[in-house]
């Protein structure tokens, strides 16, 4: 398909039809339009009731708040925050909070929709949500970050809660930010519910109700998915090479865990630049370097390369683990890999995906590959409710079971519907959601 031609894939056509019906304006380059398009394509193949397609096309709630915060120098800044609650038919809303200076509502809507799909595919008792704050967390002091986090939490008020909507870390937030959110929420909680109130967020520090294994969970889950699916493609983890976009939580843990399995890390790109070592980059040493310098730039045991060279470096596994839409058609035309493993949410544009699939590259979708994070978040929420502390063995064993079952579910659905893995992952999620709507009915 030429870059300038209007998109006439089944995904685009499905989205266009529903957007017309809802009298919504659309743009085929818009991330939400692209993502809902693939979801609706899966819904059309399954032939689910039309009402379900209408329900899934729009989030239930889109909350916007503005947080005035005094900075260290006495000046004031106003920060815009979002919480999008996409669907809660399976249970309380669940999804991360992102701090990024360029975050937009449609990006948050997309991530909330993906959370609905992700929780449904893994059969977790959660719905989907996502939040964001327009801030560059690297450009403010620790005190400023704490004040804006507390202000955001109080602005969200009753829109979050351990039985209603449970945030977690995402890009630009971490366990410390979650600790401030939980502390603020607990201060406002009724005295009778203070004990369970810290379950308002997951991804907390271990000492304050966090779960063992949460930090590495997304990378660990991704490795379990590869364990389940690569043998069927005749690929062995200890004989392959990989490259990574992003060396934050997801990227660095994926790299370290794959290194333990004998995989060679050839190239990494992040917001500071790209590096290459054909003989292999030491994932642990790179994690130390990123911790002290803030990025992969300047890592001694690798050569600095430009972005073009990064994308065209031949590898078996290409793993985007940074932001959305970082693999577009131009990148895809350069890439030389066997499998694209989506660590990040929505990293591949539909045109890039179509090109790669036609070239014979397998694309493993984000809602399967990166579900380890929300799965261990679910374990943390469960432990908080039951005042329990699980050990790492138990967390890993249960995580492996859920990730393996999800991977098998997607494989089975792709055979049943004769479709690619992304459509199969959405179909499995939608079929589950459809059954629950059948049982519950749509109020009133
Ligand atoms: P993070 O903030 O820890 O790391 C983000 C990484 O992206 C950093 O290495 C940064 O350098 C890189 N990056 C930012 N802008 C870039 C650019 N322009 N070019 C190249 N690299 C760039 O975030 P994270 O938690 O690792 O999340 C990464 C992705 O994984 C996101 O899509 C997130 O939604 C998704 N995800 C995260 C989790 C989790 O548990 N943290 C769970 C599921 C999905």
């Amino acid at each position: 398909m030429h870059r300038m031609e209007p998109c006439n894939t089944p995904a685009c056509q499905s989205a266009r039809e529903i957007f017309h019906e809802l009298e919504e304006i659309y743009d085929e380059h818009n991330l939400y339009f692209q993502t809902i398009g693939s979801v609706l394509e899966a819904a059309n193949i399954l032939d689910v009731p039309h009402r379900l397609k209408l329900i899934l096309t729009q989030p239930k709630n889109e909350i916007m708040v503005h947080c005035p915060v005094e900075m260290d120098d006495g000046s004031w800044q106003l920060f815009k925050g979002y919480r999008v609650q996409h669907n809660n038919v399976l249970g309380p809303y669940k999804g991360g909070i992102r701090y990024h200076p360029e975050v937009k509502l449609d990006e948050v809507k997309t991530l909330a929709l993906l959370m609905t799909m992700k929780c449904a595919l893994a059969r977790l008792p959660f719905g989907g949500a996502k939040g964001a704050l327009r801030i560059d967390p690297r450009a403010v002091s620790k005190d400023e970050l704490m004040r804006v986090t507390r202000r955001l939490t109080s602005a969200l008020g009753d829109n979050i809660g351990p039985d209603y909507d449970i945030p977690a870390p995402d890009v630009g937030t971490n366990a410390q930010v979650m600790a401030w959110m939980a502390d603020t929420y607990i201060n406002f909680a009724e005295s009778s519910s203070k004990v369970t109130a810290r379950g308002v967020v997951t991804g907390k520090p271990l000492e304050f109700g966090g779960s063992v294994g949460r930090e590495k969970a997304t990378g660990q889950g991704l490795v379990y998915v590869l364990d389940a699916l690569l043998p069927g493609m005749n690929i062995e983890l200890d004989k392959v090479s990989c490259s990574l976009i992003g060396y934050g939580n997801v990227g660095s843990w994926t790299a370290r865990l794959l290194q333990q399995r004998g995989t060679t890390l050839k190239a990494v790109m992040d917001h500071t630049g790209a590096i290459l070592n054909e003989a292999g980059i030491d994932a642990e040493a790179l994690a130390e370097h990123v911790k002290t310098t803030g990025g992969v730039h300047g890592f001694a045991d690798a050569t600095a390369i430009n972005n073009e060279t990064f994308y065209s470096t031949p590898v078996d596994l290409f793993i985007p683990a940074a932001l959305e839409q970082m693999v577009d058609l131009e990148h895809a035309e350069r890439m030389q890999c066997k499998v694209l493993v989506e660590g990040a949410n929505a990293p591949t544009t539909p045109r890039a995906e179509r090109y790669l699939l036609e070239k014979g590259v397998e694309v493993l979708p984000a809602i399967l590959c990166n579900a380890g994070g929300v799965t261990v978040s679910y374990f943390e929420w469960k432990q908080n409710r039951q005042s329990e502390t699980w050990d790492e063995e138990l967390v890993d064993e249960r995580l492996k079971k859920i990730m393996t079952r999800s991977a098998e579910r997607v494989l089975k659905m792709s055979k049943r519907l004769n479709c690619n893995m992304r459509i199969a992952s959405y179909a499995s999620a939608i079929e589950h959601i459809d059954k629950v709507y059948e049982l519950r009915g749509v109020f009133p």
Side-chain angles (χ1 to χ4, degrees), residues 145-164:
L145 198 64
M146 180 185 71
R147 286 199 293 277
V148 71
T149 299
R150 289 195 185 283
R151 185 72 201 219
L152 172 68
T153 311
S154 74
L156 289 174
D158 287 343
N159 290 300
I160 56 171
D163 295 319
Y164 183 65

Side-chain angles (χ1 to χ4, degrees), residues 1 27 65 88 173 182 185 190 227 231 236 247 272 312 375 412 436 442:
M1 181 169 53
D27 162 15
V65 295
N88 63 349
T173 53
Y185 185 82
E190 303 268 327
D227 275 337
E236 291 171 55
Y247 214 74
T272 64
S312 45
T375 302
K412 205 167 148 195
V436 179
V442 179

Side-chain angles (χ1 to χ4, degrees), residues 98 100 111 118 130 138 169-172 214 218 245-251 269-272 321-324 326 343-345 370 373:
R98 173 173 294 193
H100 195 275
L111 296 166
K118 201 178 296 182
K130 202 80 179 189
R138 294 191 190 99
D170 191 71
V171 174
R214 175 59 185 90
T218 308
I245 310 180
Y247 214 74
N249 175 288
V250 180
M269 182 177 97
D270 75 357
H271 72 287
T272 64
L323 300 176
E324 298 74 31
M326 296 206 70
N345 286 310
N370 70 25

Side-chain angles (χ1 to χ4, degrees), residues 1-2 5 8-10 329 348-359 363:
M1 181 169 53
H2 192 272
E5 280 172 16
N8 59 5
T9 60
L329 183 57
T348 317
T349 66
R351 285 170 197 249
E353 180 178 25
R354 201 155 90 141
Y355 175 85
L356 290 169
L357 291 173
E358 279 169 6
K359 225 174 95 177
V363 178

Side-chain angles (χ1 to χ4, degrees), residues 359-431:
K359 225 174 95 177
V361 174
E362 188 63 83
V363 178
L364 301 183
I367 68 158
L368 171 64
C369 296
N370 70 25
V374 68
T375 302
V376 178
S377 273
Y378 164 56
F379 297 162
E380 177 178 332
W381 179 77
K382 225 169 128 112
Q383 289 170 73
N384 289 167
R385 291 175 93 79
Q386 295 161 352
S387 298
E388 277 187 13
T389 309
W390 300 1
D391 60 26
E392 194 171 348
E393 237 181 348
L394 184 61
V395 169
D396 280 350
E397 182 195 315
R398 292 190 176 180
L399 174 63
K400 185 171 187 175
K401 198 182 250 182
I402 290 180
M403 298 307 295
T404 308
R405 282 188 184 158
S406 300
E408 288 166 357
R409 228 169 255 141
V410 175
L411 198 57
K412 205 167 148 195
M413 187 62 91
S414 79
K415 287 182 182 149
R416 186 180 127 199
L417 302 182
N418 190 25
C419 64
N420 66 51
M421 300 289 257
R422 186 182 313 281
I423 298 300
S425 66
Y426 291 151
S428 175
I430 293 166
E431 198 168 66

Side-chain angles (χ1 to χ4, degrees), residues 118-422:
K118 201 178 296 182
C119 294
L121 172 62
R123 307 298 191 253
L124 301 178
F126 288 134
K130 202 80 179 189
L133 189 71
R134 287 194 97 178
I135 187 172
D136 181 356
R138 294 191 190 99
V140 296
S141 71
K142 191 174 174 187
D143 273 358
E144 288 167 340
L145 198 64
M146 180 185 71
R147 286 199 293 277
V148 71
T149 299
R150 289 195 185 283
R151 185 72 201 219
L152 172 68
T153 311
S154 74
L156 289 174
D158 287 343
N159 290 300
I160 56 171
D163 295 319
Y164 183 65
D165 183 358
I166 307 133
D170 191 71
V171 174
T173 53
N174 55 22
Q176 174 62 80
V177 172
M178 293 305 112
W180 290 325
M181 285 193 82
D183 181 72
T184 308
Y185 185 82
I186 289 167
N187 271 284
F188 285 104
E190 303 268 327
S191 53
S192 58
S193 59
K194 281 205 194 287
V195 177
T196 51
R198 65 184 178 173
V200 64
V201 289
T202 56
K204 298 183 289 293
L206 258 187
E207 301 79 2
F208 180 39
S211 175
V212 174
R214 175 59 185 90
E215 214 198 310
K216 66 162 187 172
T218 308
Q220 183 68 75
L222 185 147
V223 174
Y224 288 147
V225 168
L226 294 180
D227 275 337
L229 297 179
L230 291 191
M233 303 174 203
N234 291 320
I235 298 176
E236 291 171 55
L237 267 187
D238 60 350
K239 296 196 174 57
V240 299
S241 59
C242 71
S243 59
L244 265 164
I245 310 180
Y247 214 74
N249 175 288
V250 180
S252 72
W253 276 108
T254 299
R256 283 177 276 179
L257 294 163
L258 283 177
Q259 179 164 291
Q260 288 172 16
R261 305 293 300 278
T263 305
T264 305
L265 175 62
K266 267 198 194 173
V268 183
M269 182 177 97
D270 75 357
H271 72 287
T272 64
I275 56 170
L276 168 75
N277 183 341
E278 288 284 350
I281 293 166
D282 181 344
E284 293 288 349
L286 183 60
E288 269 312 304
H289 174 82
V290 170
K291 207 168 152 189
T292 42
T293 67
V296 302
H297 175 77
F299 182 62
D301 199 19
T303 313
I305 52 171
N306 60 25
N307 291 2
E308 268 176 37
T309 312
F310 171 81
Y311 281 101
S312 45
T313 298
V315 282
D316 299 290
L317 312 177
F318 187 99
I319 313 176
L323 300 176
E324 298 74 31
Q325 295 183 309
M326 296 206 70
V327 178
D328 65 18
L329 183 57
E330 255 176 60
H331 301 132
E333 284 168 347
R334 289 207 177 96
M335 282 160 53
Q336 304 179 60
C337 65
K338 291 182 184 148
V339 189
L340 174 78
V341 189
E342 292 189 338
N345 286 310
T348 317
T349 66
R351 285 170 197 249
E353 180 178 25
R354 201 155 90 141
Y355 175 85
L356 290 169
L357 291 173
E358 279 169 6
K359 225 174 95 177
V361 174
E362 188 63 83
V363 178
L364 301 183
I367 68 158
L368 171 64
C369 296
N370 70 25
V374 68
T375 302
V376 178
S377 273
Y378 164 56
F379 297 162
E380 177 178 332
W381 179 77
K382 225 169 128 112
Q383 289 170 73
N384 289 167
R385 291 175 93 79
Q386 295 161 352
S387 298
E388 277 187 13
T389 309
W390 300 1
D391 60 26
E392 194 171 348
E393 237 181 348
L394 184 61
V395 169
D396 280 350
E397 182 195 315
R398 292 190 176 180
L399 174 63
K400 185 171 187 175
K401 198 182 250 182
I402 290 180
M403 298 307 295
T404 308
R405 282 188 184 158
S406 300
E408 288 166 357
R409 228 169 255 141
V410 175
L411 198 57
K412 205 167 148 195
M413 187 62 91
S414 79
K415 287 182 182 149
R416 186 180 127 199
L417 302 182
N418 190 25
C419 64
N420 66 51
M421 300 289 257
R422 186 182 313 281

